[in-house]
């Protein structure tokens, strides 16, 4: 019965997404998000699109898992990444005042082809991880919902990938904006019902939740909060989904959309984290990324609502990631003609690559955020010196900062080998991540600020 309800309701969301996608596609709408009449999105279309593309399935699961292990500190650590709407809005405002039409546009003017090439490498990896991670959650959900079906995980991944690609490739960014509104409204209703059921359940204690240290203690959650605070300035700048939405409406609308997106997404992430904290407080065993845990904790309809929240958020992120992938491949890299066909080929390529990585068997969720956030740290000193302080940074310093950040990302990904001969091998992986981020920032800032003053 649960499985049937999940499949039927999610199927209806897919159908609704196909129905609201634009019937006619234009090149400007596909890459720039304009309607068929050429109008930019309104404030609340932009807000709901921003929120639903950032409250993706991986984030919801990460928040709940970190809440289970590290209590409220784990949830706050992940929620801190949503401060990216504030720092991202600040960065977009500065870029627009500088006359830039994108992050690449500004980097091209400062660092030429080297600036955009290095940045686009990180952006491409970010988009690929978005497709991969959201399809991964889809697979986890259907593996839990269809335990007796041998290929249920693989079939669900391929089906959602195919249907998501279908309406995304039809309308590009304009389709993503329109379907985001429907998907976000569905998410808010479904998740809102589940959250009310949680906080009104007998025995639920807000005080216990807000002081919980999880099953593994608060310290690691506090370490992660420090990591998030180090990464939160550069994190939005390497996210093309957020940055693309910073240049498709007027400045006043854009500025307001970032502010509203911040508080809505922050509350949603913290609220979802409560489900992980409550599982720890009830002494439930961790099982299957918490999906199996919740199945035994909550009434069937609450469990269904949680899974539907995850599925809808996964779908809403996939279309936006594909739209940004098309713009990256066509507008920034020039690897395909600026036509509907060129954009659609780019989308197919990213979806196939992401699905292949998912089917390959990698199950890591937070590590993708950690690696991506570490790689983005090269932008922190560059943006502070060049965009905020108006200084000139030489290309070689920009390149050194990039190499340091990428080395840090690789070091975290391969930490079991890199740290094996050192005392750091005994540290928790998130303590290792904090140390890596600190070193990356020290190297990048020392190089960039010292050279920027000389270049003055």
């Amino acid at each position: 019965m649960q499985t049937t309800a999940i499949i039927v309701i999610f199927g209806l969301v897919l159908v609704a997404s196909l129905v609201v996608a634009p019937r006619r596609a234009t090149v400007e709408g596909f890459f720039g998000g304009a309607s068929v009449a050429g109008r930019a999105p309104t404030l609340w279309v932009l807000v709901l699109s921003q929120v639903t593309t950032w409250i993706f399935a991986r984030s919801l699961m990460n928040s709940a898992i970190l809440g289970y292990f590290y209590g409220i500190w784990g949830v706050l650590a992940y929620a801190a990444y949503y401060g990216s709407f504030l720092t991202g809005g600040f960065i977009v405002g500065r870029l627009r005042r500088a006359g830039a039409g994108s992050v690449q546009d500004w980097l091209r003017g400062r660092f030429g082809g080297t600036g955009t090439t290095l940045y686009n490498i990180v952006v491409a990896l970010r988009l690929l991880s978005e497709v991969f991670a959201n399809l991964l959650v889809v697979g986890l959900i259907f593996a839990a919902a269809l335990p007796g079906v041998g290929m249920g995980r693989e079939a669900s991944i391929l089906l959602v990938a195919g249907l998501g690609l279908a309406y995304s490739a039809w309308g590009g960014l304009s389709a993503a904006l329109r379907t985001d509104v429907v998907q976000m409204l569905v998410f808010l209703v479904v998740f809102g019902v589940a959250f009310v059921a949680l906080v009104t359940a007998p025995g639920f204690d807000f005080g216990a939740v807000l002081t919980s240290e999880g099953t593994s203690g608060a310290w690691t959650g506090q370490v992660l909060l420090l990591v998030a605070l180090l990464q939160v300035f550069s994190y939005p700048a390497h996210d093309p989904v957020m940055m693309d939405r910073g240049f498709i409406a007027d400045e006043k609308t854009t500025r307001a959309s970032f502010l509203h997106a911040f508080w809505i997404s922050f509350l949603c992430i913290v609220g979802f984290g409560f489900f992980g904290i409550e599982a720890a407080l009830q002494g439930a065993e961790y099982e299957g990324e918490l999906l199996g845990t919740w199945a035994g904790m909550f009434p069937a309809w609450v469990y269904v609502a949680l899974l539907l929240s995850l599925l809808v958020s996964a779908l809403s992120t996939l279309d936006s990631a594909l739209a940004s992938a098309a713009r990256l491949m066509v507008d920034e890299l020039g690897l395909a003609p600026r036509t509907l066909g060129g954009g659609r080929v780019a989308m197919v390529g990213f979806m196939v690559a992401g699905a292949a990585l998912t089917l390959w068997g990698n199950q890591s969720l937070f590590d993708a955020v950690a690696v991506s956030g570490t790689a983005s740290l090269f932008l922190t000193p560059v943006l502070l010196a060049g965009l905020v302080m108006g200084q000139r940074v030489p290309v070689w310093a920009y390149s050194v900062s990039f190499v340091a950040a990428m080395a840090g990302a690789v070091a975290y990904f391969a930490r079991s080998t890199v740290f094996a001969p050192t005392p750091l091998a005994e540290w928790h992986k998130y303590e290792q991540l904090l140390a890596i981020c600190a070193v990356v920032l020290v190297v990048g800032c020392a190089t960039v600020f010292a050279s920027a003053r000389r270049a003055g």
Side-chain angles (χ1 to χ4, degrees):
M1 185 65 180
Q2 292 180 9
T3 303
T4 302
I6 291 169
I7 293 174
V8 169
I9 298 174
F10 185 55
L12 291 174
V13 174
L14 280 168
V15 170
S17 299
L18 291 168
V19 169
V20 302
R23 301 274 71 81
R24 282 196 304 123
T26 65
V27 171
E28 286 308 312
F30 193 96
F31 294 102
S35 67
V36 174
R39 290 189 294 270
T42 60
L43 172 61
W44 284 101
V45 168
L46 202 53
V47 170
L48 293 176
S49 181
Q50 289 271 39
V51 174
T52 193
T53 52
W54 259 59
I55 303 182
F56 36 90
R58 180 183 69 191
S59 290
L60 295 173
M61 289 305 301
N62 280 335
S63 179
I65 291 168
L66 294 175
Y68 178 86
F69 285 112
Y70 313 121
I72 193 64
W73 285 102
V75 173
L76 290 176
Y78 204 79
Y81 278 100
Y82 287 77
S84 293
F85 279 114
L86 301 180
T87 55
F90 172 79
I91 290 169
V92 164
R94 288 289 183 128
L95 289 172
R96 293 181 69 150
R97 283 196 290 276
S102 66
V103 178
Q104 289 97 331
D105 193 17
W106 184 81
L107 290 172
R108 188 178 297 111
R110 291 286 184 133
F111 308 106
T114 300
T116 54
T117 298
L118 298 183
Y119 174 79
N120 286 333
I121 290 172
V122 176
V123 167
L125 292 174
R126 166 75 177 174
L127 287 171
L128 188 58
S129 77
E130 291 299 280
V131 177
F132 151 72
N134 284 281
L135 288 177
L136 173 59
V137 174
V138 170
L140 290 171
I141 290 171
F142 280 101
L146 302 168
V149 180
M151 297 293 288
R153 173 182 176 274
E154 290 76 11
S156 65
I157 288 172
L158 294 175
L159 181 62
V160 172
L163 291 173
L165 178 62
Y167 76 78
S168 301
W170 180 258
L173 183 55
S174 61
L177 290 168
R178 292 178 65 169
T179 56
D180 283 348
V181 173
V182 173
Q183 291 157 1
M184 187 61 199
L185 292 175
V186 172
F187 170 84
L188 288 174
V189 171
V190 174
F191 174 62
V193 169
F195 183 76
V196 170
L198 172 71
V199 299
T200 57
F204 181 83
D205 185 345
F206 257 115
V209 169
L210 295 178
T211 57
S212 169
E213 296 188 355
T215 61
S216 300
W219 166 249
T220 306
Q222 293 165 354
V223 170
L224 276 178
L225 179 58
L226 291 175
V227 171
L229 294 177
L230 289 180
Q231 295 183 353
V232 75
F233 183 75
S234 61
Y235 201 84
H238 92 300
D239 180 71
V241 173
M242 179 184 285
M243 290 294 102
D244 285 352
R245 282 158 176 73
F247 296 90
I248 58 178
D250 64 84
E251 290 191 45
K252 181 180 178 181
T253 299
T254 301
R255 184 167 55 251
S257 74
F258 275 84
L259 292 173
H260 288 305
F262 164 68
W263 68 263
I264 295 172
S265 59
F266 184 89
L267 290 178
C268 288
I269 288 295
V270 171
F272 210 90
F274 278 18
F275 286 90
I277 295 175
E278 183 65 13
L281 290 173
Q282 291 190 20
E285 292 295 323
Y286 183 84
E287 181 184 345
E289 304 289 354
L290 286 180
L291 297 178
T293 304
W294 288 334
M297 280 179 57
F298 300 118
W301 67 270
V302 175
Y303 179 62
V304 168
L306 286 172
L307 296 194
L308 283 170
S309 299
L310 291 167
L311 286 170
V312 172
S313 65
L315 184 66
S316 67
T317 305
L318 285 172
D319 56 20
S320 295
L322 292 177
S324 290
R327 201 190 76 79
L328 174 67
M329 294 292 107
V330 173
D331 284 352
E332 300 300 338
L333 297 178
L335 297 179
R338 199 173 197 273
T339 62
L340 297 178
R344 288 163 180 165
V345 168
M347 286 184 169
V348 170
F350 268 81
M351 184 63 91
V352 169
L357 285 174
T358 308
L359 296 174
W360 185 29
N362 192 320
Q363 299 292 304
S364 176
L365 283 175
F366 184 75
D367 279 2
V369 177
V371 172
S372 177
T374 304
S376 76
L377 285 173
F378 82 99
L379 291 166
T380 296
V382 173
L383 292 173
L384 286 174
L387 189 63
V388 178
M389 300 172 65
Q391 296 181 321
R392 296 189 62 81
V393 177
V395 175
W396 69 264
Y398 173 88
S399 301
V400 168
S401 184
F402 173 83
V403 170
M406 293 303 291
V410 171
Y412 181 74
F413 190 75
R415 57 190 175 275
S416 59
T417 301
V418 172
F419 295 127
T422 72
L424 286 174
E426 303 301 319
W427 291 16
H428 189 281
K429 65 178 182 179
Y430 297 147
E431 293 172 328
Q432 294 172 343
L433 177 61
L434 179 60
I436 289 170
C437 290
V439 170
V440 168
L441 282 174
V442 167
V443 172
C445 288
T447 304
V448 167
F449 284 108
S451 62
R453 285 196 297 271
R454 288 196 300 270

